[in-house]
Amino acid sequence: MEKTRDVALVLSSGGPRGFAYIGAIEELESRGYNITSVAGCSIGSLVGGVYAAGGLEDFKRWLFNLNNARLMSLLDVSLSKSYLMKGDKVIAAIKKVVPDVNIENLRIPYAAVATDLYTGEEVVFREGKLFDAIRASISIPSLFRPVEYGRHKLIDGGAVNTAPFSIVHRNGHDILVAFDVNRLDSKKIADNLQQLERLRQDDDRVNLGELIGEIKKHKTDSLLDFVKIVGDQTIRAFEKNREAEDRLKTATGLAEQEKMPFAEDDNYYSVLSRTFSLMLRTISGLQIQMYKPDVLVTMSFDAYGSIGDYARGEEISEIGRKLMSEALDKYEG
């Protein structure tokens, strides 16, 4: 029997990695799948929402033209003690590209989730203004200003429902497709950091004091011989140091290429961001085990996560397309 082509799509929270959903959605449609509903959390609520509103192509065009200078112009920094940015400029900019609509008037069922900061309640948006739902769902704690909504003060939905399987509309014969960008490659990180630590401990570079000590071991009354000794010892020390540095640079370069974390790079934002990502990874992992989607696409949360990565939408989108293609090949095979 031919498999259904209807898809109930679930998109997790996950910062700029969520731009992978653009390419993933396009891959689904290019293969003849019919997305009949979408539920999203945080960045998933944004991409899923503009898709449900029929504005994905316009949003994509705007996003792919977003460079670092334009990105910085969207960061409305706040003097508040509880959040870094108001979050109004970016929403206003997107609304110029994708006009606001009522959720109940979207072409497919859509749901977004946010979290009540004080009660911990899950607040689900199935009606009302689309961008009110999106703005609430993307309110990353301490980064964006929380949203006042009735009696609620809302923050990012990832705090309670990272991959919102529980709120996506099902039509009875669709397949459940999920994209979670919060996978953690724990073993790879541990192996990588262990290798770097071993290289640091085995660092046999020669310092100036050791070089002088080696030179002093050679006794000669000939100035020419002394100059030759100094030259030979210096060249050997230089080559030894260069080899050690090359080994460390190679290991560090591979780690950077694989987007592995470095303790020495820790700062206020990276610690806060990684802490939140670890929480998202735990919640989404449990949800995936519980709901067992028919098609699951995942991306490591170490892949992208800095503020600057929001200007790399096209690159991230293409990764999402590739990952969705691989997952569908497996499902269809």
Side-chain angles (χ1 to χ4, degrees):
M1 187 174 70
E2 185 179 353
K3 293 180 179 178
T4 180
R5 311 302 282 183
D6 284 358
V7 166
L9 183 62
V10 175
L11 304 174
S12 78
S13 60
R17 296 182 300 280
F19 294 143
Y21 304 150
I22 298 171
I25 288 171
E26 292 178 337
E27 181 65 21
L28 278 165
E29 292 191 325
S30 72
R31 292 194 182 216
Y33 287 92
N34 178 34
I35 299 174
T36 53
S37 65
V38 60
C41 179
S42 198
I43 189 68
S45 76
L46 172 59
V47 176
V50 298
Y51 171 75
L56 190 61
E57 190 62 34
D58 291 332
F59 173 73
K60 182 178 78 169
R61 196 158 36 244
W62 172 81
L63 178 68
F64 291 1
N65 285 319
L66 191 65
N67 55 29
N68 286 327
R70 293 192 184 100
L71 175 64
M72 294 305 294
S73 72
L74 298 174
L75 304 183
D76 43 3
V77 178
S78 169
L79 297 177
S80 170
K81 294 183 291 184
S82 59
Y83 54 86
L84 298 178
M85 286 176 281
K86 298 174 185 175
D88 298 332
K89 277 189 176 182
V90 64
I91 291 295
I94 298 172
K95 285 167 74 172
K96 291 179 181 177
V97 180
V98 182
D100 204 1
V101 293
N102 286 330
I103 294 172
E104 55 268 33
N105 294 331
L106 293 173
R107 58 197 180 94
I108 59 173
Y110 165 83
V113 62
T115 305
D116 187 297
L117 176 62
Y118 296 119
T119 68
E121 292 173 81
E122 172 186 280
V123 177
V124 178
F125 291 84
R126 299 186 191 274
E127 57 184 25
K129 291 296 184 181
L130 173 63
F131 280 95
D132 287 350
I134 292 171
R135 177 60 185 84
S137 189
I138 67 170
S139 297
I140 301 172
S142 296
L143 181 61
F144 287 130
R145 179 182 61 201
V147 169
E148 303 287 345
Y149 181 72
R151 66 178 177 82
H152 302 287
K153 177 172 276 192
L154 300 178
I155 60 170
D156 195 299
V160 293
N161 200 351
T162 306
F165 293 99
S166 60
I167 65 173
V168 70
H169 177 79
R170 306 298 301 274
N171 65 15
H173 59 265
D174 52 26
I175 60 172
L176 184 60
V177 177
F179 201 147
D180 173 44
V181 293
N182 298 293
R183 187 185 75 244
L184 181 63
D185 299 317
S186 302
K187 186 177 185 306
K188 187 182 287 186
I189 293 172
D191 291 346
N192 179 270
L193 294 177
Q194 186 177 36
Q195 180 185 6
L196 287 175
E197 181 61 27
R198 186 165 56 249
L199 284 169
R200 292 188 182 104
Q201 290 177 354
D202 295 341
D203 191 346
D204 58 355
R205 281 177 287 187
V206 179
N207 60 37
L208 181 61
E210 291 173 341
L211 177 60
I212 293 173
E214 287 296 316
I215 292 172
K216 284 182 176 179
K217 291 179 182 178
H218 297 270
K219 304 295 183 181
T220 178
D221 295 327
S222 167
L223 179 61
L224 186 62
D225 288 345
F226 179 74
V227 170
K228 185 176 183 301
I229 290 168
V230 171
D232 289 345
Q233 292 294 332
T234 301
I235 289 172
R236 276 198 286 272
F238 175 78
E239 290 176 344
K240 190 174 185 180
N241 288 357
R242 185 179 60 187
E243 290 171 359
E245 288 173 1
D246 285 347
R247 287 195 299 271
L248 193 57
K249 283 180 180 177
T250 298
T252 302
L254 288 173
E256 290 175 341
Q257 184 178 337
E258 295 174 3
K259 308 292 184 183
M260 293 296 146
F262 287 90
E264 60 265 32
D265 290 339
D266 286 346
N267 54 50
Y268 168 81
Y269 174 77
S270 70
V271 170
L272 185 63
S273 175
R274 189 166 189 83
T275 301
F276 193 56
S277 294
L278 288 168
M279 180 193 73
L280 299 182
R281 172 252 185 169
T282 302
I283 296 173
S284 65
L286 292 171
Q287 291 173 309
I288 288 166
Q289 290 179 33
M290 182 183 301
Y291 288 94
K292 296 180 173 55
D294 300 289
V295 178
L296 174 64
V297 188
T298 65
M299 177 190 290
S300 170
F301 77 58
D302 280 314
Y304 298 92
S306 70
I307 291 291
D309 287 337
Y310 283 94
R312 301 171 72 179
E314 186 169 8
E315 174 186 334
I316 299 171
S317 174
E318 282 307 305
I319 293 174
R321 185 191 312 276
K322 179 176 179 291
L323 292 172
M324 179 59 77
S325 178
E326 292 171 352
L328 291 176
D329 284 345
K330 184 176 179 181
Y331 171 73
E332 295 170 356

